[in-house]
Amino acid sequence: MNIDNIKKEFPIFDEKIQNNDLVYLDSANSSQKPKVVIDRINEFYTKEFSNVGRSIHYLAVAATNLYENTRSSVQKYINAKDKNEIVFTKGATEALNLVANTLGQKYLNEGDEILLTELEHHSNYVPWHYLRKSKNIKINFAEINEDGEIPIENIEKKITPKTKVIAINHLSNVTGAILPIKEITEIAHAKDIIVVVDGCQGAPHLKLDVQDLDCDFYAISCHKMYGPTGLGILYGKKKWLEELPPYQGGGGMIKEVKKDRITYGDLPNKYEAGTMATAQVIAFDKSIKFLESIGIENIIKHEKELIEYGQEILKKNNSVKLIGNPKNKGGVISFTIEGVHPHDIATILDEDGVAIRAGHHCCQILHDKLEIPASARASVGVYNTKSDFDQLNESINKCKKIFDLK
Amino acid sequence: MNIDNIKKEFPIFDEKIQNNDLVYLDSANSSQKPKVVIDRINEFYTKEFSNVGRSIHYLAVAATNLYENTRSSVQKYINAKDKNEIVFTKGATEALNLVANTLGQKYLNEGDEILLTELEHHSNYVPWHYLRKSKNIKINFAEINEDGEIPIENIEKKITPKTKVIAINHLSNVTGAILPIKEITEIAHAKDIIVVVDGCQGAPHLKLDVQDLDCDFYAISCHKMYGPTGLGILYGKKKWLEELPPYQGGGGMIKEVKKDRITYGDLPNKYEAGTMATAQVIAFDKSIKFLESIGIENIIKHEKELIEYGQEILKKNNSVKLIGNPKNKGGVISFTIEGVHPHDIATILDEDGVAIRAGHHCCQILHDKLEIPASARASVGVYNTKSDFDQLNESINKCKKIFDLK
Amino acid sequence: MNLKELYQEIILEHGKNPRNLRKTENFNKDAKGNNPLCGDNVHVYLKLNNQRKVEDISFEGSGCAISMASASIMTDLIKGKSDNEAKEIIDDFLGMIKENPELKSTILEEDDKTKLMCLSGVKQYPMRVKCATLSWHTLISAMEDDGKQVSTED
Amino acid sequence: MNLKELYQEIILEHGKNPRNLRKTENFNKDAKGNNPLCGDNVHVYLKLNNQRKVEDISFEGSGCAISMASASIMTDLIKGKSDNEAKEIIDDFLGMIKENPELKSTILEEDDKTKLMCLSGVKQYPMRVKCATLSWHTLISAMEDDGKQVSTED
Ligand SMILES: Cc1ncc(COP(=O)(O)O)c(C=O)c1O
Ligand SMILES: Cc1ncc(COP(=O)(O)O)c(C=O)c1O
C-alpha cells in the first residue's frame, strides 16, 4: 500500500468537522482506524460472533482460531520467540499494572529500587508508586537533558546496587525522544536488572524486534496502533510470565478449582482471566496486516519527513517555542506560545478543524521539570501530510492574532 | 419492539452455519448482537472517532459526551442513585477482581471470612482466593439444596461473627437458580456484612434495581447483555467507591502527580485508569436502549415461557437428566445424558447448527458437588423461540441414536 | 460557534493582566481548586471581617485566558460585598453559565454585569465551561472553608 | 464433516468399555494430564521392567467417548512394547493426527493400525483433537517421568 495516499483508507477523513476538513494531529492520543479494521469488527459481529475458548460449537471454534491467529500475527510482528509471550490486556495501562503488580508479589522486596525517567507517562509511574506504598520500594528518576532526551549516562548514574527494575518509555509522548532501549537493556542485564518498556508510542511508529531489544516486558496500546479501543498487549519473556503469579483471577485462567485450593492454567491463559475483548483481538489482526502492507520502514520515513517539515515551519514562527530537541525523534512535536495558554491554542485551532492536544499529556513530572503547567502537542500518524502542518501553522497565526501577538 | 419477531434484529441469524439455520442456545456464555449495536460501533469509528476525557477538540468533546451519556443510561437502567456509582471495566471478571482487591487492601484483615456459595463462577471465587493466600482470609461456601438452589437458611447457617463479605451469584449460570438477593442483603446488612453480587446472568435477564436490592456492589458483563466484548460494569455504592483505594493506576485517574507523591482523582475517574474501551462504552448505550425498547417485563415473560417449554420437552425425553430444579429459575437449562459425555453431545448437536455449551461452565465446585465431571447447557436470549428447543430435542435424539441409547 | 464571543476584549485584557493575582495578607479563609484534565489550578484567599464583609479577596494560580479572566473578574466583583451578597452573585453566575440566558441578581451594577456576561461565550464550548467556573467553585469552598479540595473533573 | 467418521463403531465400543481402566499395581512411572477447557483428566500408570519393556499400562480418568477410546486403544497397543517402540508409536500417532494422512510405523500389525486410524476422524473437529491426544501426551510425560502435569490447553 502506498503511504502517499493512505488517507483514503481512513473513512473519517471523508467527514467534515464543523464544516472543515479534519486535520488530525492527535494520533499520540489515539489513532484513527482504517476501513479494513472497522469492517472486520462489523463482519465478526454480524456473521461470526461467539465467545472464544469456552464452547466447542462451530462459531466458538472458528472465533477461537481467529483469536489465536491474532496472537501469532502479533508474535511475528514484534518478533517474539514464542506465541505464548503475547498476553492480551485491556490496554497498555493494564499491561504495566500487571507487570508492576506481579513483580511486586513475587520478585521485589522492601528497600529495592525502581528506576523510571522524567519522561514517563503516568501509566508507567502510578503502578510503581503503588509498590512504594505497599512494599516500601524506592523510585528514582533518570533526568532529561536540555534537549528533552534521556542520555544513557543519565540512566547509568541512577543505577544503584538496589535497582531491580528499569521501567522506561520507548518514545516520549511529549518530546518525541526515542530512548536507546537496546543499550539500556545491555547495561541493565549485566546487573540483573529487569527492563520494562512502555511501548505505547514505540509500537505504532518504530521497528519492533523484542528479541533484538532484549527487554523483559514491552507494553502496547492497540488503539494507538490503528486498532480498536479496549485492547492492549503485554509482551513478556516466557521465563518471567511462567515464574510470576497470575494477575486477575476468574474463568479461563485456572487449571483446577477445589474448595480449598486452586491451580492456574498455562500460558497464555494464566494471564487472560474472564471473557476477553474477543472482537477487538480478532480485528486487531487487520491492523497488523495494514501496517505490514505499508511497511514499517516506509512509515518511519514518512513520519520523519513530516516531523522535520513541521519542526522547520514552527521554528520559523516566532512566538512558538518547541519543547525538547532530541536527535533521535519520533512523530511528536510539543510546543508553547508565550502569552497564550495551550488550552486557548487548542480551542482556536479546533475552530479550523485542527485537532491537537493541550495539557500535561499525563506527564506532570516532565512539565514540572520544564516549569510549564501545560503544553500543546501535535502528533502524527500514517495519514498525515505536510499540508497538515501548513494548516497548523496558519491556525497558530490566527491564534496569535486573537491574542495580539507579533 | 415486539419480542416475537426480535430475531430479525440480529443479523447473525441470516447466516447459515454449515448449511444449517443457527439455533443459538449459548447466550449465558455470550449473547449475539443486535444490528443497532453493531452499527453504532461502525458509525463511531467511521465518523466520530476520538479518545475521550483527554483532548478538547471537537471530536474529543463529542466522544466524551457520548461516553458519559452511556454512564447515565446505565445508571437509569439499574436505578443507581448516582452516575458516579457506575464504573466501566473490561468485564465482570475485572469488576469482581477490583472489588476483592480493594476490599483486601483497606477493609479486610487476617482471619476475616468471606462467604461464597457452591454456585459461584470461578470469576467470583478466584479473586477472593487471592486474599486467602495474601491475607489469610477464610472462605466459606453456602451449600446448594437438592434442587440446585441456595435457600436463605443455607446462607444464614454459614454466617459467623467474622463474616465480612458475602459474594454471590444473582442467577446461576448452571442451574438457573435466582438467588434472593434482597433478603440476603437485609440479613447481611443487619450484621454489617458487605454484599457483592455477581450479576453476569442477572443483568441481561432480570429486572435490575440496585437501590431496591440494596447490595453494595453489582458486577455486569456487557457482552452477555447484547453489548460489545471487552466491556463490563461495576456498580458500587458511592460510600464504598469513595472510601476504597484505587485499583489500576495510570493516566486519567490522578489528581496531582509529583516525584514523591500522587493524589487520585474523584469518582468515576479514580477507577478508570488509562484509555478505556471508548467505542464499546458508546455502543453499549444502544444495548440499553434496545433492552428498554422491548421492556424487561416482556423479556422475563418470554424467557420464562421458553424455559418452561424446554424443561417440559426435555423431561419427557428419557436418558436426559436435568441439573437442578429451582422454583425461581432463569433462562438456563443444564443436563446430562447417561452414557454420553457432554462434549460428545455438543459435537453432535453442532452438526445440526445447535450451539450449546459443554463442560463445567467455570463452576468446578458445583460439578464436584454434583459428582459429575461436566454437563451440557442450553441457555436463552431474547431471540430464542420454542422451536429452538424442538430442534434441540431432535438433535439429542440423534445423539442417542449414535450412542445406541433408548 | 464563535471565537469572537469567547475571546472578547475584556476577557483577553483580564487574562493578560489579572487583577488580585496575589496572596491576601492575614487571609482567614482559603481553598484550592484544580482541574486534573488540563492541570489548571487556583488558590483563592479571602479576608472576611467581623461584619462578614469581604475585606479582601485574591488568588494565585495559572491557567488559560478564560480561567484567569474569570478569577480576575470574580475577585474584582466580590471585593467589598457581604458574604450573603457574594453567595447570591456566585449562584447567579453559575446559573447563567449553566442555563440562564442572563444574570438575575440586582446586587451588581450594569457595568459589572456586562463584564460577567462576557464569560457567557464559554457556553458554546462545553470543555471550557470548567475553565470559567473553577475559581467560583473554589470560592464557594473557601467561604465554607471545609478543607475540601475542589476538582472540576466532573 | 462427518459424524460417522468421528464416532465409528470401534470408538463407541472402546468408549463404552474402555480397556485397562484401572490402576497398575507396582507401577513405576505415572503422570497426570488434564484439559482445563473441558475438565477432562487422565492418569496414566506404567510398569517398565528391567528390559525397558512395558509390562503393564493402565489409566484412570473420565472424559468423552473420543478421549476414553483413545486411552483404551493406546494402552492396548503399547502393552508389551519396548520403550523405544512405544515412542515410535506415539510419534506416529501424533503425527497422523496432526498432518500425516497415514500411520508410517512398521511396528504395528495392520489390525492395530486400523484401530488407531479410526481416531483420525477428529482431524475434522479441531476442538476435539485434544480429546484424542491427551492420554498420549500424558504417556510421554509418564515415560519421561518429569513430574510435570500435562495440559492440552494449547
Ligand atoms: C455467573 C457468571 N459470573 C461471571 C462470569 C464472568 O464474566 P466475564 O467473562 O464477562 O468477565 C460469567 C460469564 O462467563 C458468569 O456466567
Ligand atoms: C507513553 C504512553 N504510555 C502509556 C500510555 C497509556 O496507554 P493506554 O491509555 O492505552 O492504556 C500512553 C497513552 O496515553 C502513552 O502515550
Side-chain angles (χ1 to χ4, degrees), chain D residues 80-125:
Chain D
K81 301 288 188 298
S82 76
D83 66 346
N84 281 334
E85 286 173 332
K87 275 178 197 148
E88 192 179 319
I89 296 171
I90 295 170
D91 282 352
D92 200 19
F93 174 75
L94 293 177
M96 184 270 286
I97 292 292
K98 211 173 166 190
E99 48 193 9
N100 304 336
E102 308 235 315
L103 292 164
K104 293 169 175 170
S105 164
T106 52
I107 300 171
L108 294 172
E109 317 262 311
E110 272 318 303
D111 212 39
D112 290 341
K113 280 195 180 179
T114 311
K115 273 192 214 160
L116 271 191
M117 282 302 293
C118 284
L119 286 161
S120 69
V122 297
K123 285 181 175 184
Q124 293 171 55
Y125 296 83

Side-chain angles (χ1 to χ4, degrees), chain C residues 11-130:
Chain C
I11 306 281
L12 291 171
E13 200 275 321
H14 273 269
K16 215 179 288 177
N17 307 302
R19 323 296 192 263
N20 310 306
L21 180 63
R22 54 184 170 77
K23 182 173 175 179
T24 300
E25 270 177 51
N26 307 321
F27 67 90
N28 48 21
K29 302 214 164 241
D30 76 313
K32 279 185 186 178
N34 87 322
N35 180 343
L37 176 61
C38 53
D40 281 3
N41 59 70
V42 65
H43 195 156
V44 172
Y45 304 94
L46 208 61
K47 190 172 175 187
L48 268 185
N49 68 15
N50 290 343
Q51 287 80 49
R52 304 202 61 75
K53 208 174 116 170
V54 178
E55 213 172 282
D56 191 32
I57 174 170
S58 62
F59 76 104
E60 290 179 328
S62 72
C64 62
I66 311 294
S67 76
M68 293 309 274
S70 184
S72 171
I73 296 172
M74 174 186 84
T75 48
D76 243 12
L77 300 191
I78 295 297
K79 206 185 302 181
K81 302 287 189 297
S82 76
D83 66 345
N84 281 333
E85 286 172 334
K87 274 177 196 147
E88 192 178 319
I89 295 170
I90 296 170
D91 282 352
D92 199 20
F93 173 76
L94 292 177
M96 184 269 287
I97 292 291
K98 207 171 168 191
E99 48 191 7
N100 304 336
E102 309 235 313
L103 293 165
K104 292 169 176 172
S105 162
T106 53
I107 297 169
L108 294 172
E109 316 262 311
E110 272 317 304
D111 213 38
D112 290 341
K113 280 194 178 178
T114 309
K115 273 190 214 162
L116 271 191
M117 284 300 294
C118 284
L119 287 161
S120 69
V122 296
K123 286 180 174 186
Q124 295 172 52
Y125 296 84
M127 293 303 265
R128 305 306 301 278
V129 164
K130 295 164 183 175

Side-chain angles (χ1 to χ4, degrees), chain A residues 28-29 90-94 96 119-124 169 171-173 198-201 220-224 231 357 361-363 377, chain B residues 51 54 251 273-276:
Chain A
N29 186 356
K90 80 168 175 178
T93 298
E94 173 168 84
L96 292 165
L119 285 180
E120 296 319 311
H121 188 280
H122 295 162
S123 291
N124 196 25
N169 226 320
L171 194 169
S172 161
N173 62 318
D198 172 355
C200 283
Q201 303 297 339
I220 293 173
S221 174
C222 296
H223 67 95
K224 297 186 205 281
L231 186 65
R357 183 159 172 197
H361 323 305
C362 299
C363 292
R377 179 184 75 186
Chain B
N51 202 346
R54 306 260 189 289
T275 297
M276 299 293 289

Side-chain angles (χ1 to χ4, degrees), chain D residues 29-68:
Chain D
K29 301 216 166 241
D30 76 312
K32 279 185 186 178
N34 87 325
N35 180 343
L37 177 62
C38 53
D40 281 3
N41 58 72
V42 66
H43 195 155
V44 173
Y45 304 92
L46 210 60
K47 191 171 175 187
L48 270 184
N49 69 13
N50 289 344
Q51 288 78 49
R52 304 203 62 77
K53 206 175 117 170
V54 178
E55 212 173 283
D56 192 32
I57 174 170
S58 63
F59 76 104
E60 289 180 328
S62 72
C64 61
I66 311 295
S67 76
M68 295 308 275

Side-chain angles (χ1 to χ4, degrees), chain A residues 11-13 15 17-18 22 24 26 29-33 38-39 41-42 44-51 54-60 88-91 93-94 97 101 118 121-127 129-130 132-133 139 141 143 221 223-224 227-230 246-262 264 271 273-280 342-344 346-347 350 354-358 360 362 364-365 368-369, chain B residues 11-13 15 17-18 22 24 26 29-33 38-39 41-42 44-51 54-60 88-91 93-94 97 101 118 121-127 129-130 132-133 139 141 143 221 223-224 227-231 246-262 264 271 273-280 342-344 346-347 350 354-358 360 362 364-365 368-369:
Chain A
I12 199 154
F13 294 109
E15 299 299 308
I17 309 299
Q18 300 185 85
L22 173 61
Y24 191 75
D26 199 19
N29 186 356
S30 195
S31 69
Q32 293 297 338
K33 317 303 172 204
I38 304 174
D39 285 352
I41 298 172
N42 205 50
F44 176 66
Y45 280 132
T46 302
K47 304 187 173 177
E48 310 165 50
F49 181 73
S50 167
N51 202 346
R54 308 261 190 285
S55 296
I56 57 170
H57 53 74
Y58 180 82
L59 290 172
F88 292 111
T89 64
K90 80 168 175 178
T93 298
E94 173 168 84
N97 275 273
N101 178 285
E118 289 177 344
H121 188 280
H122 295 162
S123 291
N124 196 25
Y125 172 26
V126 187
H129 169 76
Y130 287 171
R132 180 154 66 185
K133 289 283 163 194
I139 295 179
F141 291 89
E143 294 186 50
S221 174
H223 67 95
K224 297 186 205 281
T229 56
Y247 180 54
Q248 294 183 341
M253 54 75 75
I254 54 90
K255 183 167 279 169
E256 212 185 18
V257 175
K258 300 285 167 194
K259 277 189 177 173
D260 57 348
R261 67 179 188 279
I262 295 178
Y264 307 117
Y271 288 108
T275 297
M276 299 294 290
T278 316
Q280 292 83 329
H343 285 137
D344 295 313
T347 297
D350 186 39
V354 179
I356 63 155
R357 183 159 172 197
H360 52 56
C362 299
Q364 252 185 34
I365 301 287
D368 280 358
K369 173 78 169 225
Chain B
I12 198 154
F13 294 110
E15 299 300 308
I17 308 299
Q18 300 185 84
L22 172 60
Y24 191 74
D26 198 20
N29 186 355
S30 194
S31 69
Q32 292 297 339
K33 317 304 170 203
I38 304 173
D39 285 352
I41 298 171
N42 207 49
F44 176 66
Y45 280 131
T46 303
K47 303 186 173 178
E48 310 165 49
F49 180 73
S50 167
N51 202 346
R54 306 260 189 289
S55 296
I56 58 170
H57 53 73
Y58 180 83
L59 290 172
F88 293 111
T89 64
K90 80 169 175 179
T93 298
E94 172 169 84
N97 275 273
N101 178 286
E118 290 177 342
H121 188 281
H122 295 162
S123 290
N124 195 25
Y125 172 27
V126 188
H129 169 77
Y130 287 171
R132 179 155 67 184
K133 289 281 163 196
I139 295 179
F141 290 89
E143 293 187 49
S221 174
H223 68 96
K224 296 186 204 280
T229 55
L231 186 65
Y247 180 54
Q248 294 182 340
M253 55 74 76
I254 54 89
K255 184 167 277 167
E256 213 186 16
V257 175
K258 300 285 168 196
K259 277 188 177 173
D260 58 348
R261 66 178 189 281
I262 296 177
Y264 306 117
Y271 287 108
T275 297
M276 299 293 289
T278 316
Q280 292 83 328
H343 285 138
D344 295 313
T347 297
D350 186 40
V354 179
I356 62 157
R357 184 160 171 194
H360 53 57
C362 300
Q364 252 184 35
I365 300 286
D368 280 357
K369 172 78 171 224

